[in-house]
């Protein structure tokens, strides 16, 4: 998915985070910070009401908070290696990892998924230039 309005740092995401306090907001903030830290080419925007991380205008990951859980999602998640079997979803492309306070999945494995999603999108973009 392409989002030409993505910017280096979107203030609406900081507002979204303020509006999601407590344990779920902390989980969302933690993982969005991981996405933001993937590289200097990461941009962001609020898409469909949730923080979305892009490379330029190409989305690679997002977070979303619900009543009892947080999703850390990947736009091309169906293509990611998932040795810990964390990814959920059955769509053609997207997958997510579900976080619940006190029942969080293996952080090392989720970090690897975020890094792989970022690297995969970088490779895809390089191949289209």
């Amino acid at each position: 998915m392409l989002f030409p309005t993505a910017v280096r740092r979107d203030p609406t995401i900081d507002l979204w985070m303020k509006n999601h306090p407590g344990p779920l907001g902390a989980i969302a903030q933690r993982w969005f910070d991981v996405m933001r830290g993937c590289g200097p080419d990461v941009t962001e925007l609020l898409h469909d009401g949730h923080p979305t991380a892009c490379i330029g205008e190409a989305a690679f990951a997002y977070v979303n908070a619900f009543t009892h859980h947080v999703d850390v999602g990947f736009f091309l998640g169906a293509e990611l290696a998932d040795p810990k079997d964390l990814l959920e979803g059955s769509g053609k492309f997207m997958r997510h990892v579900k976080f619940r306070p006190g029942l969080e999945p293996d952080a090392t494995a989720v970090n690897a998924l975020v890094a792989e999603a970022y690297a995969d999108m970088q490779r895809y973009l390089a191949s289209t230039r």
Side-chain angles (χ1 to χ4, degrees):
M1 297 186 89
L2 298 178
F3 300 104
T5 59
V7 295
R8 178 71 182 128
R9 187 76 181 225
D10 187 343
T12 63
I13 290 177
D14 295 327
L15 182 59
W16 186 95
M17 295 295 177
K18 280 186 179 182
N19 289 329
H20 291 83
L24 294 174
I27 292 167
Q29 180 72 64
R30 173 185 176 193
W31 290 102
F32 200 73
D33 286 346
V34 169
M35 294 170 196
R36 280 175 165 163
C38 283
D41 53 353
V42 173
T43 59
E44 60 191 47
L45 76 157
L46 211 56
H47 168 65
D48 283 348
H50 54 268
T52 300
C54 305
I55 297 175
E57 60 184 35
F60 71 94
Y62 67 91
V63 297
N64 202 2
F66 298 91
T67 305
H68 299 288
H69 74 277
V70 170
D71 283 351
V72 173
F74 305 97
F75 285 86
L76 298 176
E79 298 178 12
L80 298 176
D82 183 22
K84 298 282 186 174
D85 200 31
L86 299 177
L87 292 170
E88 298 182 29
S90 59
K92 188 173 181 179
F93 299 106
M94 296 178 74
R95 297 286 185 277
H96 64 275
V97 177
K98 201 168 281 189
F99 286 76
R100 290 179 179 83
L103 297 172
E104 294 187 28
D106 181 330
T108 300
V110 178
N111 269 309
L113 289 169
V114 172
E116 184 182 353
Y118 172 76
D120 283 355
M121 186 58 71
Q122 279 188 315
R123 281 190 292 276
Y124 172 77
L125 292 171
S127 74
T128 62
R129 291 186 180 131

